[in-house]
Amino acid sequence: QVQLVQSGAEVKKPGASVKVSCKASEYTFTSYYLHWVRQAPGQGLEWMGVINPRGGNTIYAQKFQDRLTVTRDTSTTTLYMEMSSLRYEDTAVYYCAGVMSDAFDLWGQGTMVTVSS
Amino acid sequence: SYELTQPLSVSVALGQTASITCGGNNFGRKNVHWYQQKPGQAPVLVIFRDGNRPSGIPERFSGSNSGNTATLTISRAQAGDEADYYCQVWDGSSGIFGGGTKLTVL
């Protein structure tokens, strides 16, 4: 079954970094662009960035340019999202999502990241 | 930056038709996608490229895009359709989401 499975919930202090993983299975990992989308509690969806799994090229939303790093490991078909200098307002559910038909066809289950002192 | 505008909430009587709009500039040049999100769950794609349904999505869900407004239509609304709905377009390689609409089935 084609799926994206994310790592578990994280609790971090302000100023720390977090790294979330997203493992892809049952499809050719390099075939589809992979994105990160987040959702703060009670809020809407916010696009963060994208990676081309084939070449590793990335594009980030401007507001995350200096704090976000998206990488991938083709040998383990795993996508990563690392955010540094965490703030309270980064508390959110973080989703990885794959684009196959020009839309976000495939979603991970989400990873809750809580920033708390 | 490109912005999408959705109503905060829409209500529909059980069995009737609900329409959720999404406004943006020069929509005619962009493909609009729609997602359904139920509490505690990841979003699910229900319409892609304006009016196409992924496999497994009921025919009750349809979409259109004309001028500066895209519309998601849900016919014969069921209690299970109660959810948040988001429209989405691409601005270059960046994904842009509408603010979301909460659909209530009365």
Side-chain angles (χ1 to χ4, degrees):
Chain A
Q1 170 185 357
V2 176
Q3 60 181 349
L4 299 172
V5 179
Q6 299 183 222
S7 50
E10 303 266 9
V11 179
K12 296 292 182 181
K13 294 189 182 304
S17 297
V18 69
K19 191 169 187 177
V20 178
S21 68
C22 168
K23 180 166 175 58
S25 58
E26 302 300 325
Y27 77 92
T28 302
F29 182 66
T30 53
S31 294
Y32 306 110
Y33 283 49
L34 291 167
H35 300 247
W36 288 95
V37 175
R38 77 176 186 179
Q39 186 172 37
Q43 302 300 309
L45 302 170
E46 180 176 31
W47 181 82
M48 299 177 67
V50 57
I51 188 168
N52 177 349
R54 187 180 300 273
N57 312 71
T58 54
I59 296 174
Y60 302 134
Q62 189 170 7
K63 71 178 287 187
F64 301 113
Q65 282 280 357
D66 55 349
R67 298 195 296 136
L68 176 65
T69 304
V70 175
T71 57
R72 93 286 186 234
D73 182 340
T74 56
S75 67
T76 61
T77 66
T78 303
L79 171 73
Y80 298 96
M81 185 280 300
E82 184 168 20
M83 182 169 289
S84 61
S85 303
L86 288 169
R87 309 160 184 163
Y88 294 113
E89 54 266 35
D90 292 320
T91 294
V93 176
Y94 289 76
Y95 294 101
C96 56
V99 171
M100 301 178 177
S101 64
D102 192 35
F104 296 109
D105 309 77
L106 184 64
W107 293 76
Q109 83 275 21
T111 297
M112 182 72 210
V113 175
T114 302
V115 182
S116 174
S117 56
Chain B
S1 62
Y2 200 83
E3 293 185 0
L4 300 177
T5 302
Q6 297 183 237
L8 282 176
S9 63
V10 168
S11 297
V12 61
L14 189 67
Q16 297 304 303
T17 297
S19 294
I20 299 173
T21 58
C22 176
N25 288 332
N26 296 318
F27 244 176
R29 299 182 184 182
K30 294 186 181 294
N31 289 320
V32 180
H33 317 293
W34 290 92
Y35 305 87
Q36 176 194 70
Q37 186 181 33
K38 296 181 179 180
Q41 298 183 18
V44 172
L45 179 66
V46 294
I47 293 288
F48 66 98
R49 292 180 187 156
D50 298 339
N52 296 279
R53 274 187 317 278
S55 61
I57 300 301
E59 291 183 5
R60 301 185 298 104
F61 288 80
S62 62
S64 64
N65 183 1
S66 179
N68 290 328
T69 302
T71 303
L72 172 69
T73 302
I74 305 170
S75 304
R76 302 182 300 283
Q78 302 177 359
D81 298 332
E82 192 160 284
D84 293 326
Y85 291 84
Y86 295 90
C87 58
Q88 180 253 320
V89 299
W90 297 104
D91 185 14
S93 298
S94 301
I96 307 295
F97 289 97
T101 299
K102 181 175 180 57
L103 178 68
T104 300
V105 180
L106 304 172

